[in-house]
Amino acid sequence: MEEGLNKQVLKELEKKLAFVKSIKNLRYEGDVLNGEVIFNFPKLKNDLTFKFEILPHYPFKTYHTETIRFYNKSLIAYDHVMEDGHICFHNRHSVNLKEKLVLDFNSLKEWIENFYIKKSSNQNYEHLVVNKSIVEDSYYAFHFTQIEYSFSKDEYGLVDLTQAGIGYYNEIKLQNFLVQNFKNNSDVIAECNWSFNIKDLPNSNIGLYYFLENSPSTYNKFIFDNWLDFTNILSVEFLNFLNEFENRNLKKYRDSKIPIFFGYKIDENECFWQVAILKIGSFPTEGVPERKNDKKTGIWNSQLIDSKINWCFTKDCSYKYFFGRGKLSNLITEKKILIIGVGAIGSIVATTLTRGGAKNIDFIDYDIKEPENICRSEYSFRQGINTKTVELADNLTSISPFLNINNLQNKYFEDITKRFINDEEYKLGLTNNLNAYDIIFDCSTDDDLMYILDNLKIKGSLINLSISNFAKELICGIYPNTYRFVRNQFDNILTVDDDLYEPIGYWSPTFKASYNDVNLLVQYALKHINQKIEENKLRNFVIEEDRYKNILRINEY
Amino acid sequence: MEKSDYLLNVLETHKMKKIENLLSKYKDKREEIKNEIESEYQNKIYSPFNSGSYAKHTAINCKFDLDIVVPFKKDSFNTLKEMFDNLYDFLIDKYGNDAIVRKQKVSIGITFDSDEDGDEIDIDVVPGRELTKDDYPDSRGLNLFFNERMGLFSSNSYIKTNINSQIKHINKRENERKIIRLLKIWKYTNNENLKSFLIELITIKAFDNVNVSGNIWEQLKSVMEYIKDNIRTENFTLNDPGNSNNNVADTLDESDKEYFAERMINILNRVEDDSENLKFYFPLNKDFEEDEVENKYNVKQSSYKNSVPPTNQRFGRGIE
């Protein structure tokens, strides 16, 4: 074990680093080592001093945070300096204490060169530093998207909100809300770009909004903390509106909490919202008589008072940020998708497409979800016995606020299709309905339905997915020729194991495979489909597991 | 599976003799159209003659063409476009009420409404004009009009060809025809977008250039290997027997050639993995398959004692 952190190590460091003039005032406060470092090197005109503290965890991070910190409150106007003077920079990793000290002091030197000497400024938008408040017993969070409307300076109005879930943040209750729309009086001027399934949720609360020219902050970094900071920023007209709003609602809604949204542009096309919580009866305003030439005019205006602002969490959940870390091809996500059969494979396909950013998925299934289905599909126990399509729609719209589930096709689809398929009029109607979709996943494992669909004139992509017993293979048939391809695999190519699982109590043997078995193949298949759709080269394929080589192999046809 | 026996069975189920009734309807219609054209154009044309896959003996019963070539005399029309449009107008006038008549790349397609048996008759009429006055009886050369762009050929351009020579090119080449039919079965049943004429020429070229011998699978394999090895090579040509200046390989661009080669590689690999895959690429025509089902599942011969799910069942949803 190497030598631990002590004053001697810091003194040695002082000798080692040419750009460090001195390290002094070393002292322990509890188990935290404090000190001061003076930087001096040719590009730096004068000495630059930082206080530092080193936690006992050093050189390790804790909760993804560095355990060495440098402070200089006089540098607050520079980039990457926090309100308490703490300098933020990218530290490099090392588990060797002496090496880590060298790296960290060098990183601070780089910060000095880039942001103190060259006065570089980060071009990317960075969130303001906001200390969120607990209001009574809760934190609050508001989720919005960019909207197709350009607000003007000093524009104000109302916001419709829908209550989302209640979470916990540092063991404190956190109430989540979705922003539905912005209103001027009672007219909706802009809606957030949620799916219509989200838009259809009832509005539960209202808020107020005010659009600013600039962010409500000092140094463009630290959000205002007192309502007086807004003096001369909020218009008198708006303050009077606040006063009227409060008076109008005082009797009925005293002490009710009202969020107030402050919007500002972060670039040419996008704006951000910060939200503060007000309480009716305690708005941070007071009436003052208007004066002209030192004489009261008889008119009263509102002005802000000295009062702390209670800020909330806000999240821009726009599609591009929601799926910013990774998504499927636009050639899938922008398309209308139908999934026929939402059992083990179909429900995994639906969930993956949803998490991959799909915007329109419909599905068809006649079946009921029962507890024994849950172990290898995307359903949950707590909802009990339930119609698969109903539960899946609920699950998927909980995952993505951008997924439109247009209709849950009825349970008679399969029956009617087979009963009337020789009726030309019905066939034409069925074909037209299916041709409303760009991509159809047939996960029904229904050979008859596969045959019927294969014989229709389908315009979009029809993709048939099924697996063999023990999930040894996944077979993907692509229209046209789905039926011939898939049946040839099962009838002539695959070695099929007939050791089936027989559920207790009734005779309906089924295949043996776990969620892990099924999901592995379906995910690989969807990855392949995603890539081949991009290349416009989607063909029939089989995924098979080679257990000797520990690989999954795709054979295209 | 014995690959050759299987492929011979595939050819058997795709023979034209399996559809004699339908074929005679086609022939009757073809004669009727020829007669109408002859009485309309009289001295403006030489005798129309038969072409298409049926005339070349490369037809398969799920997809075949009975074409009529109409050789117009040099002075019949000022331009090839006029010739093409005039014939189209005539056919619309004659058959527009009973058929869909449409302009195609070099021909005019006539699809007659279904008859009482539900059969649709589909005949293509190809107009061509002799190259110089009175040249046709000797040379049999014709200029064809391109109504649409095809490969390197733009629309409204024309090409010199000799359909008689094209038909003769494949005459008495029975082995080649079998392979051509198999590749056409693959093309048709797998919706591959390749010209049949190209398949014909490249198959014949393979037989002429490499050793294609053995049983029918070995022959098919050699031809597919020839295609994959040669189609992408620089300066690869497929000369039109009707016009040696016309390189039919030019109707494919680089990505088409790449695709054709990839397909050949894919079939060879998958059949190498498992010969049963032949059944996907070269399926039997189920309509004319010998009825084996009764023997296979006749209850009295069955060894099934209990009702169990078939072992070839697919999974992924349903009763679980």
Side-chain angles (χ1 to χ4, degrees):
Chain A
M1 195 74 188
E2 64 168 312
E3 188 185 0
L5 181 68
N6 56 46
K7 293 179 182 178
Q8 185 56 37
V9 172
L10 270 296
K11 292 312 279 181
E12 285 170 17
L13 183 70
E14 180 190 77
K15 288 178 197 155
K16 197 187 287 181
L17 299 177
F19 53 83
V20 168
K21 186 174 171 184
S22 74
I23 294 176
K24 58 183 186 178
N25 293 339
L26 291 168
R27 68 200 180 283
Y28 277 97
E29 287 180 16
D31 54 4
V32 177
L33 179 59
N34 289 264
E36 280 179 34
V37 54
I38 301 170
F39 281 78
N40 191 307
F41 51 94
K43 289 182 201 162
L44 199 56
K45 284 181 188 163
N46 301 306
D47 290 357
L48 191 59
T49 306
F50 296 87
K51 289 182 177 171
F52 64 82
E53 60 182 19
I54 306 175
L55 274 54
H57 314 70
Y58 196 79
F60 305 129
K61 286 186 191 181
T62 177
Y63 298 114
H64 286 285
T65 307
E66 290 295 332
T67 48
I68 186 166
R69 286 185 165 212
F70 297 90
Y71 296 87
N72 183 335
K73 218 168 175 181
S74 71
L75 302 177
I76 198 163
Y78 292 88
D79 259 31
H80 304 289
V81 183
M82 297 295 98
E83 211 166 5
D84 58 358
H86 157 216
I87 319 290
C88 290
F89 51 83
H90 291 292
N91 300 59
R92 295 184 185 88
H93 166 78
S94 173
V95 291
N96 179 299
L97 188 139
K98 289 181 180 174
E99 183 182 67
K100 174 76 170 154
L101 282 167
V102 172
L103 291 172
D104 287 342
F105 277 73
N106 266 290
S107 294
L108 181 58
K109 176 177 176 266
E110 281 171 25
W111 178 88
I112 294 168
E113 287 172 338
N114 288 328
F115 297 101
Y116 180 75
I117 298 172
K118 290 187 195 160
K119 296 188 172 53
S120 304
S121 182
N122 201 333
Q123 296 304 306
N124 294 329
Y125 165 76
E126 286 192 17
H127 285 305
L128 299 182
V129 177
V130 179
N131 293 315
K132 286 87 179 177
S133 300
I134 301 165
V135 181
E136 292 176 357
D137 61 347
S138 298
Y139 286 110
Y140 288 83
F142 296 88
H143 303 77
F144 63 89
T145 70
Q146 295 299 324
I147 54 175
E148 282 142 18
Y149 178 80
S150 183
F151 291 96
S152 356
K153 181 177 178 294
D154 299 329
E155 189 174 342
Y156 62 85
L158 302 175
V159 183
D160 275 326
L161 301 165
T162 294
Q163 175 124 37
I166 291 180
Y168 284 85
Y169 180 79
N170 290 341
E171 299 174 5
I172 304 290
K173 198 155 71 171
L174 190 157
Q175 301 201 39
N176 289 283
F177 290 85
L178 310 181
V179 177
Q180 290 285 13
N181 58 57
F182 295 84
K183 291 200 291 201
N184 184 349
N185 295 321
S186 57
D187 298 331
V188 173
I189 54 170
E191 288 185 328
C192 281
N193 286 320
W194 310 119
S195 67
F196 68 73
N197 299 81
I198 296 290
K199 286 182 181 175
D200 282 350
L201 294 173
N203 296 334
S204 57
N205 298 69
I206 62 161
L208 308 172
Y209 79 85
Y210 187 92
F211 201 78
L212 305 162
E213 188 158 38
N214 299 307
S215 70
S217 62
T218 48
Y219 302 116
N220 224 12
K221 286 195 289 192
F222 311 114
I223 200 160
F224 293 162
D225 57 8
N226 193 297
W227 285 104
L228 286 178
D229 295 335
F230 276 108
T231 304
N232 299 328
I233 292 176
L234 302 181
S235 67
V236 173
E237 192 188 354
F238 175 66
L239 294 179
N240 289 339
F241 163 79
L242 272 186
N243 189 39
E244 283 161 25
F245 181 88
E246 185 176 36
N247 288 338
R248 194 165 64 240
N249 291 291
L250 193 56
K251 212 169 184 180
K252 206 169 169 187
Y253 297 108
R254 177 179 281 278
D255 290 339
S256 292
K257 288 171 274 302
I258 295 285
I260 178 164
F261 289 66
F262 291 105
Y264 52 95
K265 281 198 165 188
I266 56 172
D267 65 24
E268 274 302 296
N269 304 312
E270 297 196 352
C271 63
F272 199 84
W273 297 92
Q274 300 289 353
V275 179
I277 294 283
L278 301 180
K279 266 167 77 174
I280 293 179
S282 316
F283 275 16
T285 53
E286 62 182 6
V288 287
E290 190 182 75
R291 288 172 183 273
K292 271 187 182 167
N293 300 327
D294 260 359
K295 286 185 181 170
K296 291 181 183 175
T297 62
I299 296 170
W300 285 70
N301 278 326
S302 298
Q303 70 176 23
L304 292 160
I305 61 170
D306 180 2
S307 169
K308 176 181 172 279
I309 306 174
N310 291 316
W311 291 110
C312 307
F313 292 89
T314 54
K315 289 284 175 189
D316 181 351
C317 300
S318 298
Y319 185 90
K320 72 171 184 178
Y321 301 123
F322 195 84
F323 292 106
R325 290 166 192 213
K327 65 184 283 294
L328 294 166
S329 163
N330 285 348
L331 296 173
I332 292 178
T333 58
E334 296 293 324
K335 302 295 181 184
K336 284 198 74 181
I337 298 168
L338 174 68
I339 302 174
I340 303 171
V342 284
I345 291 180
S347 68
I348 292 172
V349 169
T351 309
T352 306
L353 296 179
T354 302
R355 290 196 192 280
K359 292 180 179 173
N360 292 286
I361 304 177
D362 294 355
F363 34 79
I364 297 171
D365 202 309
Y366 63 84
D367 207 4
I368 299 294
K369 176 214 87 183
E370 298 186 81
E372 57 267 34
N373 299 133
I374 296 162
C375 72
R376 62 181 178 205
S377 56
E378 300 289 348
Y379 297 97
S380 53
F381 174 68
R382 290 223 305 216
Q383 298 206 32
I385 294 172
N386 199 356
T387 299
K388 282 181 177 172
T389 52
V390 170
E391 184 169 328
L392 193 59
D394 193 35
N395 291 348
L396 300 183
T397 50
S398 299
I399 291 169
S400 166
F402 302 102
L403 174 65
N404 295 288
I405 298 182
N406 296 298
N407 59 350
L408 303 174
Q409 284 266 359
N410 66 62
K411 62 181 182 179
Y412 304 112
F413 168 79
E414 185 209 319
D415 180 70
I416 293 173
T417 298
K418 291 173 184 170
R419 192 182 292 242
F420 296 111
I421 197 59
N422 292 322
D423 175 333
E424 285 302 317
E425 201 176 325
Y426 172 78
K427 200 167 156 181
L428 184 63
L430 173 66
T431 308
N432 288 340
N433 285 340
L434 294 175
N435 281 340
Y437 295 95
D438 304 298
I439 304 173
I440 301 169
F441 286 93
D442 177 3
C443 307
S444 67
T445 66
D446 179 333
D447 288 338
D448 303 326
L449 189 62
M450 172 168 66
Y451 174 79
I452 289 170
L453 296 180
D454 204 21
N455 282 288
L456 298 176
K457 288 194 169 68
I458 303 285
K459 288 182 184 162
S461 303
L462 171 59
I463 300 168
N464 184 296
L465 294 170
S466 53
I467 54 174
S468 58
N469 196 14
F470 290 98
K472 284 199 284 190
E473 293 95 2
L474 179 144
I475 294 82
C476 179
I478 307 296
Y479 174 92
N481 286 324
T482 326
Y483 182 79
R484 214 158 47 72
F485 173 72
V486 175
R487 278 317 326 166
N488 192 48
Q489 286 293 322
F490 279 91
D491 291 338
N492 300 315
I493 310 279
L494 307 179
T495 311
V496 183
D497 196 318
D498 60 359
D499 174 18
L500 296 172
Y501 173 71
E502 299 199 26
I504 191 154
Y506 48 93
W507 187 82
S508 59
T510 184
F511 68 113
K512 288 180 175 174
S514 70
Y515 180 79
N516 175 242
D517 297 326
V518 179
N519 205 352
L520 174 69
L521 294 186
V522 174
Q523 294 302 340
Y524 196 21
L526 288 173
K527 187 174 177 64
H528 182 74
I529 289 167
N530 186 55
Q531 184 191 331
K532 292 295 169 179
I533 283 181
E534 284 250 301
E535 295 169 1
N536 194 23
K537 281 185 178 174
L538 183 58
R539 307 194 66 87
N540 299 300
F541 67 89
V542 173
I543 302 176
E544 60 182 18
E545 187 181 358
D546 185 331
R547 296 205 172 172
Y548 296 105
K549 292 184 183 166
N550 272 328
I551 53 167
L552 285 177
R553 184 171 44 229
I554 292 185
N555 284 334
E556 284 187 281
Y557 283 76
Chain B
M1 186 179 76
E2 175 45 58
K3 294 192 274 290
S4 257
D5 290 349
Y6 173 75
L7 291 174
L8 288 171
N9 199 15
V10 170
L11 285 173
E12 182 63 32
T13 62
H14 282 90
K15 278 192 169 163
M16 293 301 286
K17 72 177 184 193
K18 304 273 184 190
I19 53 163
E20 270 170 2
N21 284 345
L22 178 64
L23 192 56
S24 72
K25 288 183 196 176
Y26 263 84
K27 287 176 177 170
D28 292 348
K29 212 69 189 173
R30 183 175 64 181
E31 286 315 301
E32 180 197 318
I33 297 168
K34 271 205 287 199
N35 291 337
E36 292 289 354
I37 289 172
E38 284 195 285
S39 57
E40 170 69 13
Y41 290 104
Q42 297 187 2
N43 292 334
K44 287 187 172 179
I45 58 172
Y46 299 102
S47 282
F49 61 93
N50 300 334
S51 178
S53 61
Y54 185 67
K56 292 178 183 173
H57 303 284
T58 57
I60 51 175
N61 60 21
C62 52
K63 178 76 178 98
F64 55 90
D65 303 305
L66 273 74
D67 298 352
I68 303 166
V69 181
V70 187
F72 280 87
K73 292 183 178 172
K74 176 69 180 168
D75 51 9
S76 58
F77 292 99
N78 287 330
T79 65
L80 289 165
K81 182 168 170 35
E82 270 180 46
M83 167 195 77
F84 192 88
D85 290 344
N86 191 283
L87 181 62
Y88 172 74
D89 291 342
F90 167 69
L91 293 172
I92 278 271
D93 189 44
K94 206 78 210 165
Y95 296 110
N97 290 334
D98 315 314
I100 296 168
V101 181
R102 65 198 177 282
K103 290 181 179 179
Q104 300 173 157
K105 282 179 180 163
V106 292
S107 65
I108 294 153
I110 312 172
T111 306
F112 290 92
D113 300 341
S114 306
D115 64 10
E116 62 273 16
D117 302 325
D119 291 331
E120 268 185 6
I121 309 293
D122 194 357
I123 307 268
D124 287 348
V125 183
V126 187
R129 194 176 66 176
E130 69 178 334
L131 308 175
T132 55
K133 189 168 166 49
D134 302 329
D135 162 77
Y136 177 77
D138 293 331
S139 80
R140 300 279 171 171
L142 291 171
N143 278 324
L144 303 187
F145 175 71
F146 274 110
N147 179 52
E148 295 169 22
R149 191 185 72 82
M150 187 163 79
L152 297 178
F153 301 102
S154 61
S155 67
N156 286 327
S157 62
Y158 67 92
I159 186 168
K160 180 187 144 192
T161 192
N162 185 321
I163 294 170
N164 276 63
S165 301
Q166 289 174 349
I167 296 170
K168 274 185 193 159
H169 185 61
I170 198 163
N171 203 14
K172 293 179 183 164
R173 289 195 178 238
E174 188 45 37
N175 287 337
E176 285 89 330
R177 284 182 196 154
K178 281 182 187 159
I179 303 304
I180 290 166
R181 279 189 218 117
L182 283 172
L183 288 173
K184 283 172 72 174
I185 290 165
W186 161 71
K187 163 187 139 73
Y188 179 70
T189 56
N190 290 279
N191 305 83
E192 299 291 354
N193 188 21
L194 283 162
K195 301 292 293 175
S196 294
F197 187 40
L198 189 116
I199 289 176
E200 282 172 30
L201 294 182
I202 203 164
T203 303
I204 291 167
K205 187 160 185 177
F207 272 79
D208 289 347
N209 284 272
V210 292
N211 178 23
V212 180
S213 58
N215 63 34
I216 191 151
W217 160 246
E218 287 161 346
Q219 292 179 36
L220 176 62
K221 189 173 174 223
S222 299
V223 171
M224 289 195 290
E225 282 170 345
Y226 177 80
I227 296 171
K228 79 156 168 80
D229 291 340
N230 291 280
I231 188 78
R232 293 169 292 184
T233 55
E234 218 175 317
N235 303 326
F236 180 74
T237 55
L238 287 173
N239 289 333
D240 178 353
N243 176 356
S244 56
N245 291 327
N246 174 22
N247 177 11
V248 178
D250 284 347
T251 60
L252 301 179
D253 63 24
E254 289 307 309
S255 67
D256 294 334
K257 288 176 184 173
E258 189 62 41
Y259 177 81
F260 198 1
E262 266 179 26
R263 290 285 78 210
M264 295 297 104
I265 294 166
N266 182 262
I267 297 172
L268 290 165
N269 286 346
R270 293 289 85 80
V271 175
E272 176 80 24
D273 290 347
D274 191 327
S275 59
E276 294 284 344
N277 278 322
L278 272 180
K279 292 178 179 170
F280 170 64
Y281 295 111
F282 303 94
L284 296 164
N285 185 341
K286 294 279 178 194
D287 291 344
F288 304 109
E289 207 177 346
E290 292 298 314
D291 189 6
E292 295 172 354
V293 175
E294 207 165 303
N295 291 335
K296 204 169 166 185
Y297 293 111
N298 185 298
V299 176
K300 284 180 183 169
Q301 296 172 11
S302 171
S303 59
Y304 292 135
K305 288 174 185 159
N306 298 315
S307 171
V308 294
T311 53
N312 58 359
Q313 191 172 324
R314 299 190 298 135
F315 298 107
R317 75 162 291 284
I319 302 159
E320 288 177 20

